[in-house]
Amino acid sequence: MLIGGRTAVRGGSGDSASGSPVRFRWSRRRGALALGSVAALAMGIVGCTSIITGTATVDTSAAPAYRTSVSKSLSASAATSSSRESQRQQSLTTQAISGACGTFRTTSEDAVAATNNWVDAYNKGGDTGGTSGPAVDALNRSADAVAGAITDAMPQGMRDTFNSYIAAARSVADAIATHAAISVYNSRKDQLNQIKGQGFEQCRPFP
């Protein structure tokens, strides 16, 4: 969400409706991603062979118990394999969501900085020509990057929020590029702030 701070005002009372763009607010939680690895150790048994003499006999009384033991062993092995596959899929899902959230955080921060530079230039009454282009580009780049980061592994609610962010970022970029009324810019900025906040909250478990 675009970050905030004190809003400089060029004339007037300085509210959104009267003519000065309001800075974005920024609230960012930084997290460290810990990567762990698990090494599997394969062990081999080396022994000696010997020739056994005599006639093999079958203990028919032990056969049912043996079959039961084998069946339980196979079931346990299948359950373990299924559990490992489930854990692997969960790990891949978590990685995908973490990557998307990382893209969302980083690119939106860039958009925040560039847009607030434009707001500062406008409110100081200076030439905004050198700041409007970078702001528009940063917002559109963020929208493009977030769009490319969305995957089917993400929860539907998170995908919806990211798609809303994309539309809102492009809308703010359009307001700046087309020199829309400041009231229009501030309205679109408020919407972007709200959606961005939702995205950050949903990404909180995925540093």
Side-chain angles (χ1 to χ4, degrees):
M1 183 167 34
L2 287 163
I3 66 178
R6 181 176 59 83
T7 302
V9 180
R10 184 178 69 183
S13 61
D15 57 20
S16 298
S18 64
S20 289
V22 181
R23 289 175 59 89
F24 286 104
R25 297 185 305 280
W26 178 256
S27 175
R28 184 184 183 202
R29 291 180 175 269
R30 298 181 180 272
L33 179 61
L35 298 177
S37 60
V38 178
L41 177 63
M43 300 181 65
I45 300 177
V46 179
C48 57
T49 60
S50 61
I51 299 174
I52 306 299
T53 60
T55 302
T57 59
V58 178
D59 185 354
T60 56
S61 64
Y66 174 74
R67 286 195 294 269
T68 299
S69 176
V70 171
S71 177
K72 289 182 177 179
S73 178
L74 291 174
S75 297
S77 177
T80 299
S81 177
S82 176
S83 176
R84 288 174 178 170
E85 176 60 20
S86 178
Q87 292 174 1
R88 187 183 75 85
Q89 291 297 332
Q90 181 61 44
S91 176
L92 291 175
T93 297
T94 299
Q95 290 178 26
I97 296 175
S98 293
C101 284
T103 297
F104 172 62
R105 293 186 187 101
T106 301
T107 63
S108 60
E109 181 177 9
D110 292 341
V112 165
T115 303
N116 282 342
N117 286 340
W118 171 78
V119 171
D120 286 343
Y122 184 96
N123 284 341
K124 290 176 181 177
D127 181 12
T128 61
T131 57
S132 59
V136 170
D137 290 343
L139 286 161
N140 284 326
R141 277 198 304 269
S142 180
D144 290 342
V146 172
I150 295 175
T151 69
D152 292 337
M154 299 170 65
Q156 184 61 51
M158 184 178 287
R159 290 202 300 270
D160 291 343
T161 299
F162 275 29
N163 281 320
S164 295
Y165 169 81
I166 293 165
R170 295 196 192 285
S171 180
V172 172
D174 179 73
I176 297 173
T178 60
H179 307 288
I182 293 304
S183 60
V184 172
Y185 162 81
N186 280 333
S187 175
R188 295 181 183 183
K189 174 269 305 177
D190 289 342
Q191 183 179 24
L192 180 60
N193 276 334
Q194 180 182 6
I195 295 169
K196 188 169 180 292
Q198 293 174 1
F200 267 69
E201 188 63 30
Q202 290 171 334
C203 282
R204 189 189 300 273
F206 303 96

